[in-house]
């Protein structure tokens, strides 16, 4: 049955319409309490920026980037918080919420009784996740511009970069969720997410790590996201941004493919 997905995708307009319907269902199901969760996803990285970027930054002083550019510590940390915010917003929707809908609410069992296919469910859920992640990114960029940590022009370029980050992590989150057996498995995912947050060039340059650890850091998806957005917001983006974009696009494509195939196996068995 999974093989039916690709032929259906030939009709791009119909597939887009069905995917949009999945996202619209999530909008219609919003509850008032849910908005508190949305706000918390923006407030957390803002607190990190104020406490570490500004507070600790007063002790650290300015940083010299590998290219020789000198920036304040707050300007160094802010794009990492933006990337982390995009990651957190996307993962929150495509892991806990997605897993609950699929395994416990059995929502998708009813959806596949309609013409909607697993790939279109995955695409619709990813689109909904990006409404959340994109709102975090836009709000955080406004704060960065207000604090003079970047310019308006650079913020406008950084926004689509942050959206790409959210899409990549959203697809990755859905893939991980299809392998989860119970809520306890998410403890491991939370630990992995926090480790990425700490060791992705977030608070110190990757060059500060020993060679072997630096190599491990630089191949992680959050590091590529931080590297891309930091290059845009502080104005140091060179040709390395091409590698970052290609990396995130690959994560997005592979994540969607694996998630849709896994969903097909789980829903049609």
């Amino acid at each position: 049955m999974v093989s039916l997905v690709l032929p259906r995708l030939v009709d791009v307009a119909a597939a887009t319409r069905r995917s949009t319907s999945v996202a619209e269902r999530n909008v219609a199901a919003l509850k008032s309490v849910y908005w508190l969760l949305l706000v918390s996803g923006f407030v957390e990285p803002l607190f990190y920026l104020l406490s570490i970027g500004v507070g600790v930054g007063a002790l650290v002083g300015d940083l010299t980037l590998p290219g020789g550019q000198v920036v304040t510590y707050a300007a160094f940390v802010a794009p990492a918080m933006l990337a982390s915010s995009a990651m957190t917003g996307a993962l929150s929707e495509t892991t806990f919420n997605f897993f609950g809908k699929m395994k416990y609410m059995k929502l998708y069992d009813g959806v596949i009784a309609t013409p909607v296919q697993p790939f279109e469910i995955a695409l619709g859920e990813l689109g909904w996740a990006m409404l959340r992640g994109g709102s975090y990114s836009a709000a955080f960029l406004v704060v960065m511009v207000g604090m003079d940590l970047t310019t308006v022009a650079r913020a406008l370029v950084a926004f689509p970069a942050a959206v790409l980050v959210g899409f990549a992590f959203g697809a990755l989150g859905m893939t991980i969720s299809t392998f989860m057996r119970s809520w306890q498995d998410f403890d491991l995912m939370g630990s992995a997410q926090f480790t990425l947050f700490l060791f992705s060039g977030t608070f110190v340059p990757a060059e500060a790590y020993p060679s072997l650890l630096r190599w491990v850091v630089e191949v992680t998806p959050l590091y590529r996201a931080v590297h891309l957005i930091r290059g845009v917001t502080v104005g140091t983006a060179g040709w390395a941004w091409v590698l970052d974009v290609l990396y995130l696009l690959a994560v997005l494509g592979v994540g969607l493919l694996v998630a849709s195939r896994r969903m097909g196996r789980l829903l049609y068995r």
Side-chain angles (χ1 to χ4, degrees), residues 206 209-219:
Y209 296 115
S211 299
L212 179 60
L213 181 57
R214 174 184 173 182
W215 182 86
V216 174
V217 166
E218 291 185 350
V219 298

Side-chain angles (χ1 to χ4, degrees), residues 14-36:
T16 302
R17 185 172 62 253
R18 289 189 289 266
S19 299
T20 302
S21 297
V22 174
E24 288 175 347
R25 178 264 164 202
N26 291 324
V27 175
L30 278 179
K31 303 295 183 181
S32 58
V33 178
Y34 189 77
W35 290 104
L36 296 177

Side-chain angles (χ1 to χ4, degrees), residues 222-242:
L222 185 57
Y223 174 81
R224 304 318 317 180
V226 171
H227 186 266
L228 172 62
I229 296 178
R230 182 174 286 146
V232 173
T233 58
V234 302
T236 59
W239 285 108
W241 70 267
V242 177

Side-chain angles (χ1 to χ4, degrees), residues 8-9 11-20 120 123:
R8 293 296 301 272
L9 288 179
D11 189 348
V12 177
T16 302
R17 185 172 62 253
R18 289 189 289 266
S19 299
T20 302
E120 295 159 355
L123 200 58

Side-chain angles (χ1 to χ4, degrees), residues 3-208:
S3 61
L4 294 176
V5 174
L6 293 180
R8 293 296 301 272
L9 288 179
V10 174
D11 189 348
V12 177
T16 302
R17 185 172 62 253
R18 289 189 289 266
S19 299
T20 302
S21 297
V22 174
E24 288 175 347
R25 178 264 164 202
N26 291 324
V27 175
L30 278 179
K31 303 295 183 181
S32 58
V33 178
Y34 189 77
W35 290 104
L36 296 177
L37 298 177
L38 295 180
V39 172
S40 68
F42 164 72
V43 171
E44 181 178 348
L46 179 60
F47 283 169
Y48 272 109
L49 174 61
L50 296 176
S51 62
I52 297 179
V54 178
V56 177
L59 302 175
V60 174
D62 295 340
L63 285 180
T64 301
L65 301 180
Q69 184 174 357
V70 178
V71 298
T72 65
Y73 189 65
F76 176 83
V77 170
M81 294 299 100
L82 173 58
S84 299
S85 178
M87 174 188 73
T88 301
L91 286 180
S92 296
E93 284 295 337
T94 57
T95 53
F96 296 101
N97 293 345
F98 179 79
F99 179 77
K101 293 173 188 175
M102 182 171 61
K103 188 173 181 65
Y104 291 98
M105 295 173 61
K106 303 295 183 182
L107 175 66
Y108 304 132
D109 290 54
V111 172
I112 61 171
T114 71
V116 179
Q117 296 295 308
F119 183 86
E120 295 159 355
I121 295 174
L123 200 58
E125 290 291 353
L126 186 57
W128 163 242
M130 282 319 305
L131 287 177
R132 178 174 178 175
S135 64
Y136 290 168
S137 300
F140 200 86
L141 282 167
V142 170
V143 172
M144 288 178 63
V145 172
M147 294 178 64
D148 199 26
L149 300 178
T150 190
T151 64
V152 174
R154 290 174 182 169
L156 292 175
V157 178
F159 180 71
V163 170
L164 174 60
V165 171
F167 270 119
F169 275 101
L172 183 61
M174 276 193 292
T175 298
I176 293 172
S177 296
T178 61
F179 288 95
M180 295 294 184
R181 297 162 298 178
S182 67
W183 294 114
Q184 284 70 32
D185 291 339
F186 283 97
D187 292 339
L188 295 175
M189 196 205 74
S191 298
Q193 184 178 339
F194 191 64
T195 301
L196 281 178
F197 175 69
L198 293 178
F199 298 101
S200 294
T202 314
F203 301 109
V204 295
E207 291 76 15

